[in-house]
Amino acid sequence: MQDDNGSEHDHPAERAQPQGYAALGERVAGILEAAEQAAEGIREEAHKLASDLEREARAEADRLNESLTADAQRLRTEADEYARDMRLAVEAYATQHRRQAEEEGRTIVADAERQSATMREAAEEMVRQVEGDVRRRQEQLRAEVRMLEQRKRDALERMREIAAAVQDVLPDESLESDLRPERRGVPATGS
């Protein structure tokens, strides 16, 4: 437009319009690249989360195993000490009481060993459960990563379809080559 002085002024709507089909291609390429970057970020975050969960679960399982093993060892040591003390005390008694005291000591040791075995089995079961939980979580994360990768492929395919539809509408210019993202300095090739 020209004002009364004869000078031209840009109309704001005209400035906001893209500068031709190349701008459209750049915008579509930008959208594709952003989608790929977002998918990569999500994939990296999922892998990191899986790794962190696995590391935490292993550390917790190791800590639990050590704790329960130490408790079982302590109980066994206490039971052994108690049995030894009982045997020493029994030797002071008369011969008729000796057999009865020795049998009582053996019963206490057997109970302690059974209790120790039970606690060890419980600890091992807990470790198996934690490991199973970790495996299930890893599988869930892998499934989520696969789903995200499929979404990325679907989005890229839809963008290619859009590009092809736009190309069909345009004159003999090649929009598809303009829409292909370039990686590491090498132009992408068609599939």
Side-chain angles (χ1 to χ4, degrees), residues 23 32 41 51 54 64-65 85 89-90 101 104 106 126 129 136 139 149 151 168 173 177 187 191:
L32 286 173
S51 176
E54 182 178 359
L64 248 160
N65 193 16
D85 291 346
V90 168
E104 191 176 322
R106 284 191 291 271
M126 200 173 293
Q129 288 176 354
R136 283 189 292 280
E139 287 303 316
E149 288 173 346
R151 284 184 181 171
D168 289 345
E173 296 178 26
S177 64
S191 357

Coordinates of all heavy atoms in Angstrom, one line a residue, residues 23 32 41 51 54 64-65 85 89-90 101 104 106 126 129 136 139 149 151 168 173 177 187 191:
A23 N 9.3 -22.4 2.7 CA 9.0 -22.2 4.1 C 8.1 -23.3 4.7 O 8.3 -23.7 5.8 CB 8.4 -20.8 4.3
L32 N 9.1 -32.6 12.0 CA 9.6 -34.0 12.0 C 10.8 -34.1 12.9 O 10.9 -35.1 13.7 CB 9.9 -34.4 10.6 CG 8.8 -34.8 9.6 CD1 9.3 -35.0 8.2 CD2 8.0 -36.0 10.1
G41 N 14.4 -38.4 23.3 CA 14.4 -38.0 24.7 C 13.6 -39.0 25.6 O 14.1 -39.3 26.6
S51 N 17.3 -48.5 34.1 CA 18.6 -48.7 34.6 C 18.6 -48.3 36.1 O 19.1 -49.1 37.0 CB 19.6 -47.9 33.9 OG 20.9 -48.1 34.5
E54 N 16.5 -50.9 38.1 CA 17.3 -52.1 38.2 C 18.4 -52.0 39.3 O 18.6 -52.8 40.1 CB 17.8 -52.5 36.9 CG 18.6 -53.9 36.9 CD 19.1 -54.3 35.6 OE1 18.9 -53.6 34.6 OE2 19.7 -55.3 35.5
L64 N 19.1 -56.4 51.7 CA 18.2 -57.3 52.4 C 18.8 -58.7 52.6 O 18.7 -59.3 53.7 CB 16.9 -57.5 51.5 CG 15.6 -56.9 52.1 CD1 14.6 -56.7 51.0 CD2 15.1 -57.8 53.2
N65 N 19.5 -59.2 51.6 CA 20.1 -60.5 51.7 C 21.2 -60.4 52.7 O 21.3 -61.4 53.6 CB 20.7 -60.9 50.3 CG 21.1 -62.3 50.2 OD1 20.7 -63.1 51.1 ND2 22.0 -62.6 49.3
D85 N 27.0 -73.3 76.4 CA 26.8 -73.0 77.8 C 26.0 -74.1 78.5 O 26.3 -74.4 79.7 CB 26.2 -71.6 78.0 CG 27.1 -70.5 77.5 OD1 28.3 -70.8 77.4 OD2 26.6 -69.4 77.3
A89 N 27.1 -76.4 81.7 CA 26.3 -76.4 83.0 C 25.8 -77.9 83.3 O 25.8 -78.3 84.5 CB 25.1 -75.5 82.8
V90 N 25.5 -78.6 82.3 CA 25.0 -80.0 82.5 C 26.1 -80.9 83.0 O 25.8 -81.8 83.8 CB 24.4 -80.5 81.1 CG1 24.2 -82.0 81.2 CG2 23.2 -79.8 80.8
A101 N 19.8 -82.9 80.1 CA 20.3 -81.6 79.7 C 20.9 -81.6 78.3 O 20.7 -80.7 77.6 CB 21.3 -81.2 80.7
E104 N 18.1 -81.6 75.9 CA 17.5 -80.2 75.8 C 18.4 -79.3 74.9 O 17.9 -78.5 74.1 CB 17.4 -79.6 77.2 CG 16.6 -78.4 77.3 CD 16.4 -77.9 78.8 OE1 16.3 -78.8 79.6 OE2 16.5 -76.7 79.0
R106 N 20.4 -80.2 72.5 CA 20.2 -80.6 71.1 C 18.9 -80.1 70.5 O 18.8 -79.6 69.3 CB 20.3 -82.1 70.9 CG 21.7 -82.7 71.0 CD 21.7 -84.1 70.6 NE 21.1 -85.0 71.6 CZ 21.6 -85.5 72.6 NH1 22.9 -85.3 72.9 NH2 21.0 -86.3 73.5
M126 N 12.2 -63.4 49.2 CA 12.1 -61.9 49.1 C 13.0 -61.4 48.0 O 12.6 -60.6 47.2 CB 12.5 -61.2 50.4 CG 11.9 -59.8 50.5 SD 12.2 -59.1 52.2 CE 11.2 -60.1 53.2
Q129 N 11.4 -62.3 44.7 CA 10.2 -61.4 44.4 C 10.7 -60.1 43.9 O 10.2 -59.5 42.9 CB 9.4 -61.2 45.7 CG 8.6 -62.4 46.1 CD 7.8 -62.2 47.4 OE1 8.0 -61.2 48.1 NE2 6.9 -63.1 47.7
R136 N 9.8 -57.6 35.7 CA 8.5 -57.1 35.2 C 8.5 -55.7 34.8 O 8.0 -55.3 33.7 CB 7.3 -57.4 36.2 CG 6.9 -58.9 36.2 CD 5.6 -59.0 37.1 NE 5.9 -58.8 38.5 CZ 6.4 -59.7 39.3 NH1 6.8 -60.8 38.9 NH2 6.6 -59.4 40.6
E139 N 10.4 -55.2 31.6 CA 9.5 -55.6 30.4 C 8.5 -54.5 30.1 O 8.3 -54.2 29.0 CB 8.8 -56.9 30.7 CG 9.8 -58.1 30.6 CD 10.5 -58.2 29.3 OE1 9.8 -58.0 28.2 OE2 11.7 -58.4 29.3
E149 N 8.5 -45.9 20.0 CA 9.2 -46.0 18.7 C 8.2 -46.2 17.6 O 8.3 -45.7 16.5 CB 10.2 -47.2 18.8 CG 11.5 -46.8 19.6 CD 12.4 -48.0 19.8 OE1 12.0 -49.2 19.5 OE2 13.5 -47.8 20.2
R151 N 5.1 -45.2 17.6 CA 4.4 -43.9 17.5 C 5.3 -43.0 16.6 O 4.8 -42.3 15.8 CB 4.1 -43.3 18.8 CG 3.0 -43.9 19.6 CD 2.7 -43.1 20.8 NE 1.6 -43.6 21.6 CZ 1.3 -43.2 22.8 NH1 2.0 -42.3 23.4 NH2 0.3 -43.8 23.5
D168 N 1.8 -33.7 -4.5 CA 0.8 -33.9 -5.6 C 0.1 -32.6 -6.0 O -0.2 -32.4 -7.2 CB -0.2 -35.0 -5.2 CG 0.4 -36.3 -5.1 OD1 1.5 -36.5 -5.7 OD2 -0.2 -37.2 -4.5
E173 N 7.8 -28.9 -8.6 CA 8.8 -28.8 -7.6 C 8.9 -30.0 -6.8 O 7.9 -30.6 -6.5 CB 8.6 -27.5 -6.8 CG 8.6 -26.2 -7.6 CD 8.3 -25.1 -6.7 OE1 8.5 -25.2 -5.5 OE2 7.8 -24.0 -7.2
S177 N 12.0 -34.0 -1.2 CA 13.4 -33.9 -0.9 C 13.7 -32.7 0.0 O 14.6 -32.8 0.9 CB 14.2 -33.7 -2.2 OG 13.9 -32.4 -2.8
P187 N 22.5 -36.1 3.4 CA 21.1 -36.0 3.1 C 20.4 -37.4 3.2 O 21.0 -38.4 2.9 CB 21.0 -35.5 1.6 CG 22.4 -35.0 1.3 CD 23.4 -35.7 2.2
S191 N 12.8 -44.1 1.3 CA 12.7 -45.5 1.6 C 11.9 -46.3 0.5 O 11.1 -45.8 -0.1 CB 12.0 -45.8 2.9 OG 11.6 -44.7 3.6

